[in-house]
Amino acid sequence: MRTGADYLRSLQDGRRVYLDGERVADVTEHPAFRQAARSIANLFDIAADPALRERMTFPSPKTGEPVWRAFQIPKSAADLKARRLFSETWAEATFGLMGRTPDHVASFFAGYAAAPAVLAAGGNQKFADNAVAFYEFMRDNHVYASYAIVPPQIDRSKPAHKQSDPTLYAGVVKERDDGIVIAGAQQLATGGPLSDYIHLSCIHPLQPGDENYANCLAVPVGAEGVKLYPRRPFARAGNAFDYPLSSRFDESDAYVVFDNVFVPWERVFIYRNIELSRDQWFKTPSHAYGNHQAQVRYVTKLRFMAGLAHRMNEMTGNIAAPPVQIMMGELVALATVYDAMLLAHETAAPIRDGIVWPSIVILYSAMALQSELNGRMLEIIRELAGSAFITLPSSSADFDNPEIAADLERYMRSASTDAKSRVALMRLIWDFLGTEFGSRHAQYEKFYGGASFLVKQNVFRNFDFKRATALVERALSLPALE
Ligand SMILES: Cc1cc2nc3c(=O)[nH]c(=O)nc-3n(C[C@H](O)[C@H](O)[C@H](O)COP(=O)(O)OP(=O)(O)OC[C@H]3O[C@@H](n4cnc5c(N)ncnc54)[C@H](O)[C@@H]3O)c2cc1C
């Protein structure tokens, strides 16, 4: 199986990643990406561990070799659970703090391959075959893809083709015998600088006239003309003691520019087709599998969050106070709702054409409320913290100066631990919710699955109003009372 070392070596492919006015020479050594790349490499090693073979892999139907369960197309509830356990194992390795680990986009491709007839509709068999072939290639070679499926926020008041320049949004600009050429930008490839392939498509509704933007394809990150512009990195913000999470798990979010990128036909899965551009997400289980993985990751993160808050209260000596226990009760009730919903969208999973889908209405309900409830949970921790994250020394260097360290040891300890342990825990929690890394995470949980007004529309479309209104009809037709 592909190991972490194999993965790290393959990132040295001349990819164009631009940071602070310069091209990054090697993402595996640049301080902005070095540790995050190693955190991903660790996932490859976990999946390749023979002791975890059953949990992390299934035999490829093509080669018989072990491949990641993220690529498994579930035919039973047990298969869906096996996918969950795979993703949970990876999520625990990153404390749920890396959202677009390789199992995310792998799940989208498993969804396309589970229902290729959707992509083949209207005589598009060749493109559907390409999608299945790429899925098999990814599966059998343990490929890590990131994706950019949202048009840039340049002018949302106009459709893609009516932007001030038709090549602002990533779209096809030239058709050749052997493939197509893509120009324009798309957001927001989380993990882009660390992935093997970029999956480009569009989840925003497109209008007639937008055909050039209605594509689904994959290109190697190192392909000629692919340029990545990541946001400001957090990894180099300080040392690992002061920024224990930023320094290890900053997966990066990158704006992708396609500077006339050639894409061979074999890597084109939808071409200039507005209807399929929409149907790929909701008529195949791609969006459902991808976001099932996202919820597995989120539930792991919430478990970590609950643990952090509990340890914080132990440290401050407030843990036995009834009002604190009541607020903690609310926090863990919310976390438990998410845990239970995750299990529920597995147990209420419908089977369509022999393929198991997670329950869409439960999945989208969880995602729709995440935008607000995640903020509520963070707010509870802030409320319980008081000044816990602020009454700390300026950096770990203070512990190295004996004169300062003596004061820190005396005045910054807690009843249960020495000063350094207290500071380490508070730094961990602050990095979780207060640093730039923590703040980006709050934004991530709001928007990783799209703006919540769109997710709420998904819930609306899928809720069983027929059953609900049948109750209303029955209530209205109750026999008159004597
Ligand atoms: C940290 C992070 C990581 C991400 N990672 C990825 C990734 O890996 N790949 C990827 O493709 N995408 C990713 N996304 C998601 C994505 O790119 C968008 O941020 C997300 O889909 C929301 O779209 P937008 O930012 O364009 O916001 P907009 O669509 O502009 O919406 C912003 C806000 O405007 C309001 N609004 C806009 N239009 C309407 C309307 N019609 N009705 C009501 N209110 C409206 C709402 O309040 C909405 O929340 C990520 C986002 C974040 C924040």
Side-chain angles (χ1 to χ4, degrees):
M1 290 186 69
R2 193 177 176 198
T3 64
D6 297 333
Y7 159 71
L8 288 174
R9 257 193 310 278
S10 67
L11 292 178
Q12 295 163 321
D13 60 357
R15 55 191 54 207
R16 288 163 198 77
V17 179
Y18 298 94
L19 207 62
D20 296 334
E22 289 177 359
R23 181 169 167 185
V24 172
D26 176 357
V27 290
T28 67
E29 289 307 330
H30 191 286
F33 306 106
R34 191 175 192 280
Q35 289 307 328
R38 278 155 183 75
S39 294
I40 297 284
N42 183 41
L43 304 183
F44 279 77
D45 287 335
I46 290 171
D49 182 351
L52 295 174
R53 188 115 309 166
E54 174 61 23
R55 190 175 179 99
M56 302 305 285
T57 70
F58 72 110
S60 161
K62 204 167 173 181
T63 66
E65 295 297 320
V67 293
W68 299 340
R69 281 201 188 272
F71 288 107
Q72 187 163 9
I73 298 173
K75 308 274 172 53
S76 66
D79 290 348
L80 194 55
K81 180 178 172 190
R83 288 178 56 87
R84 167 166 59 82
L85 294 177
F86 170 93
S87 287
E88 193 177 277
T89 307
W90 269 6
E92 284 184 355
T94 66
F95 307 95
L97 294 169
M98 296 183 100
R100 303 305 199 210
T101 44
D103 43 343
H104 186 71
V105 175
S107 301
F108 277 76
F109 277 89
Y112 297 144
V118 173
L119 300 186
N124 290 293
Q125 189 62 48
K126 182 180 68 171
F127 295 123
D129 292 345
N130 291 346
V132 174
F134 186 65
Y135 155 76
E136 291 177 350
F137 164 76
M138 284 181 80
R139 180 194 64 197
D140 294 344
N141 295 284
H142 313 106
V143 169
Y144 172 16
S146 56
Y147 68 179
I149 58 171
V150 177
Q153 244 180 358
I154 294 175
D155 182 358
R156 285 288 164 75
S157 70
K158 296 191 182 77
H161 72 284
K162 290 206 171 137
Q163 296 292 311
S164 58
D165 171 339
T167 59
L168 287 181
Y169 288 12
V172 60
V173 290
K174 192 171 174 189
E175 191 176 315
R176 299 181 2 189
D177 289 347
D178 51 352
I180 56 175
V181 177
I182 299 287
Q186 199 81 329
Q187 61 185 59
L188 174 67
T190 296
L194 302 176
S195 62
D196 301 314
Y197 272 79
I198 302 263
H199 168 210
L200 169 69
S201 194
C202 186
I203 197 165
H204 269 213
L206 295 170
Q207 302 183 8
D210 284 342
E211 286 74 10
N212 286 345
Y213 313 91
N215 308 303
C216 175
L217 51 90
V219 289
V221 174
E224 193 63 38
V226 173
K227 298 169 161 179
L228 298 182
Y229 292 96
R231 58 152 166 79
R232 186 172 53 231
F234 312 135
R236 57 190 173 177
N239 65 38
F241 180 84
D242 292 313
Y243 297 91
L245 303 174
S246 313
S247 57
R248 293 179 172 92
F249 302 118
D250 184 20
E251 62 188 332
S252 184
D253 308 288
Y255 214 68
V256 188
V257 169
F258 296 82
D259 185 0
N260 293 299
V261 176
F262 171 68
V263 187
W265 284 121
E266 304 84 78
R267 295 291 189 244
V268 180
F269 320 126
I270 295 173
Y271 182 55
R272 302 189 79 250
N273 190 321
I274 288 176
E275 209 175 326
L276 289 188
S277 177
R278 183 195 60 228
D279 290 350
Q280 64 174 316
W281 312 112
F282 306 113
K283 290 195 176 169
T284 77
S286 65
H287 200 250
Y289 293 163
N291 285 295
H292 178 246
Q293 177 277 337
Q295 286 294 305
V296 175
R297 189 269 320 159
Y298 184 54
V299 166
T300 301
K301 182 178 161 184
L302 291 183
R303 208 167 281 131
F304 181 49
M305 176 195 276
L308 290 173
H310 193 67
R311 292 294 303 277
M312 178 183 79
N313 294 328
E314 282 175 353
M315 204 63 98
T316 55
N318 289 332
I319 195 161
V324 170
Q325 293 183 351
I326 292 166
M327 287 180 73
M328 281 300 289
E330 182 181 340
L331 177 77
V332 294
L334 291 169
T336 304
V337 165
Y338 273 89
D339 200 358
M341 282 177 108
L342 175 62
L343 297 178
H345 58 74
E346 278 175 24
T347 51
I351 300 184
R352 297 185 194 165
D353 299 326
I355 304 293
V356 177
W357 291 49
S359 163
I360 293 299
V361 73
I362 299 173
L363 171 63
Y364 290 145
S365 297
M367 290 170 68
L369 299 178
Q370 195 166 337
S371 177
E372 288 140 52
L373 296 184
N374 190 67
R376 173 66 196 141
M377 289 185 259
L378 295 175
E379 190 55 32
I380 290 173
I381 299 178
R382 280 180 179 269
E383 190 69 40
L384 289 173
S387 60
F389 312 134
I390 311 300
T391 50
L392 298 175
S394 56
S395 81
S396 62
D398 290 337
F399 284 102
D400 300 334
N401 179 324
E403 189 190 339
I404 304 173
D407 272 347
L408 301 186
E409 203 40 68
R410 182 168 164 74
Y411 297 114
M412 291 200 184
R413 66 189 169 189
S414 81
S416 52
T417 62
D418 61 19
K420 201 155 192 186
S421 306
R422 174 175 169 271
V423 173
L425 178 78
M426 296 310 176
R427 285 274 196 255
L428 185 63
I429 307 175
W430 184 240
D431 212 9
F432 184 88
L433 55 69
T435 59
E436 251 191 306
F437 175 85
S439 181
R440 175 265 177 198
H441 255 272
Q443 205 67 7
Y444 183 81
E445 301 305 352
K446 261 188 181 301
F447 285 108
Y448 77 81
S452 77
F453 75 90
L454 291 171
V455 185
K456 285 175 186 166
Q457 286 173 317
N458 290 342
V459 184
F460 178 81
R461 275 196 296 274
N462 287 286
F463 183 77
D464 190 353
F465 282 112
K466 205 167 156 201
R467 190 170 175 188
T469 53
L471 287 172
V472 178
E473 297 313 321
R474 195 155 61 76
L476 289 173
S477 58
L478 286 173
L481 295 177
E482 307 217 337

